[in-house]
Amino acid sequence: MGRAPDRRVSAQLLRFGSGTCQVVLPEWRSAIAVSVPTEQLQRSTGLNAEELRSALLSVVINPEAVHDRELGLRDWQAEVPAARGRRRGRRQVR
């Protein structure tokens, strides 16, 4: 019997820091905060700090992970809520 396939889950940003962000993956462990390098989140999503703080995040994980080191976090995606005339999920270039 093989392991379950990786799957995309929602991620809630708890704390934004200059070096590290704390996120919770409610579909994996709702009581455990996982550390993610801020630079990785910004590079993967293309969002600046302000946009990232309000974004709806998702990430692909190993759902059978017992420890956060086994999650294999990858393919971060973000949807920016519509606000101040911006389109959802898109950055405007001027």
Side-chain angles (χ1 to χ4, degrees):
M1 196 182 326
R3 79 174 181 98
D6 290 351
R7 87 171 182 246
R8 178 164 298 282
V9 297
S10 63
Q12 298 172 348
L13 184 65
L14 285 183
R15 185 183 69 78
F16 181 90
S18 60
T20 304
C21 289
Q22 298 290 315
V23 299
V24 171
L25 310 170
E27 296 170 53
W28 177 67
R29 303 277 188 280
S30 60
I32 296 177
V34 177
S35 294
V36 180
T38 302
E39 182 180 318
Q40 178 185 2
L41 282 177
Q42 290 182 302
R43 187 176 55 245
S44 296
T45 63
L47 301 178
N48 64 35
E50 181 183 332
E51 292 169 323
L52 194 55
R53 284 183 175 100
S54 62
L56 305 173
L57 300 172
S58 68
V59 64
V60 175
I61 67 165
N62 165 13
E64 294 181 346
V66 175
H67 191 279
D68 63 351
R69 291 182 300 241
E70 300 168 349
L71 284 168
L73 301 170
R74 69 181 183 347
D75 192 22
W76 287 93
Q77 293 182 2
E79 183 176 326
V80 179
R84 298 179 305 277
R86 297 190 69 148
R87 291 175 145 181
R88 273 172 67 131
R90 296 183 181 218
R91 298 181 67 186
Q92 291 181 343
V93 179
R94 293 183 182 210

